[in-house]
């Protein structure tokens, strides 16, 4: 089962009637954790005098820019969301 399939399962299951509040809370937490594992491409925005700089697509946090090494970052340093790295570093 892929991460996306597991996410889809929990979203469908959470919508069912008759599930207790504690189970719904646990499933909401599972959905949040699974969503963070699906990589998203950073958003490039102008920042300061130089740019563009990469920002997390989920919480808008600035991603590491030391020596233009942000292309090597696998996760947002702030929220932990998986980042999709491009092969040509754009």
């Amino acid at each position: 089962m892929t991460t996306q399939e597991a996410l889809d399962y929990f979203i469908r299951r959470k919508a069912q009637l008759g599930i207790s509040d504690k189970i719904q809370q646990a499933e909401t937490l599972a959905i949040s954790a699974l969503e963070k594992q699906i990589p998203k491409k950073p958003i490039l925005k102008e920042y300061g005098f130089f740019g563009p700089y990469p920002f997390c697509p989920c919480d808008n946090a600035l991603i590491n820019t030391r020596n233009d090494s942000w292309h090597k970052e696998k996760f947002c340093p702030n929220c932990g969301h998986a980042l999709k790295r491009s092969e040509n570093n754009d």
Side-chain angles (χ1 to χ4, degrees):
M1 178 178 278
T2 67
T3 302
Q4 186 63 52
E5 290 170 339
L7 177 61
D8 293 342
Y9 168 80
F10 279 113
I11 290 172
R12 280 192 314 272
R13 182 168 158 76
K14 187 173 181 241
Q16 293 175 351
L17 297 176
I19 297 176
S20 73
D21 288 341
K22 284 193 175 197
I23 292 174
Q24 284 188 352
Q25 290 173 354
E27 289 180 349
T28 299
L29 186 60
I31 289 168
S32 176
L34 287 167
E35 285 175 339
K36 283 187 173 188
Q37 292 181 22
I38 299 172
K40 290 186 179 178
K41 190 173 182 178
I43 299 168
L44 297 177
K45 296 192 275 186
E46 296 297 322
Y47 182 72
F49 295 107
F50 304 100
Y53 284 109
F55 288 81
C56 176
C58 296
D59 69 354
N60 206 31
L62 180 64
I63 299 170
N64 180 8
T65 59
R66 290 187 314 253
N67 300 326
D68 196 33
S69 65
W70 71 269
H71 300 286
K72 297 175 186 168
E73 295 292 335
K74 294 182 181 180
F75 301 96
C76 171
N78 191 48
C79 72
H81 197 285
L83 299 173
K84 184 182 286 187
R85 302 183 312 179
S86 64
E87 301 210 3
N88 56 2
N89 294 343
D90 60 343

